[in-house]
Amino acid sequence: MTKREKHGTCPLCQRECPLTFHHLIPRKLHRRTHFRKHYSKEQLHQGINICRQCHNGIHRRYDEMQLAKILSTLEALQSDETLSRYFAWVARQKIS
């Protein structure tokens, strides 16, 4: 397991499985002036531990800028209609 990877309950699909760290503001954007000016280093490095399947689904459906501007909290991710349907589907999948 990597430094940030651990085992637990994914807050998105509610499955008990290995978790990976998801930056709420994608790392790719941390160097951009807007984000450096409006967020502290601590805020930029905030994230949540989620399962790999949910993590991949988030990045497949939204680009980095959309994630940073409209989906930068756990609550926003959970309340997004498209992602909610996906997380419900993931919840029914076997853990590989």
Side-chain angles (χ1 to χ4, degrees):
M1 282 194 199
T2 64
K3 183 171 87 176
R4 292 189 180 190
E5 189 174 20
K6 62 181 192 177
H7 196 85
T9 302
C10 176
L12 301 174
C13 68
Q14 306 305 314
R15 296 183 309 160
E16 184 75 25
C17 57
L19 303 175
T20 62
F21 189 78
H22 170 71
H23 283 89
L24 292 170
I25 298 175
R27 288 179 59 202
K28 193 177 197 178
L29 302 177
H30 290 191
R31 293 177 142 220
R32 295 207 177 180
T33 305
H34 170 80
F35 293 97
R36 282 200 329 243
K37 191 184 282 188
H38 292 92
Y39 297 94
S40 69
K41 269 191 171 182
E42 292 78 26
Q43 289 172 310
L44 289 174
H45 292 291
Q46 286 181 344
I48 54 175
N49 288 309
I50 59 177
C51 73
R52 173 51 57 197
Q53 206 164 357
C54 287
H55 203 164
N56 290 347
I58 290 168
H59 286 283
R60 219 177 285 127
R61 285 162 179 76
Y62 292 101
D63 66 30
E64 280 87 1
M65 195 59 76
Q66 290 171 310
L67 291 173
K69 291 194 172 179
I70 53 175
L71 295 168
S72 62
T73 65
L74 174 59
E75 294 76 23
L77 290 167
Q78 290 171 326
S79 63
D80 181 80
E81 193 176 319
T82 302
L83 289 175
S84 292
R85 284 193 305 268
Y86 176 72
F87 299 147
W89 176 83
V90 171
R92 297 187 304 269
Q93 305 308 302
K94 284 188 178 181
I95 297 166
S96 51

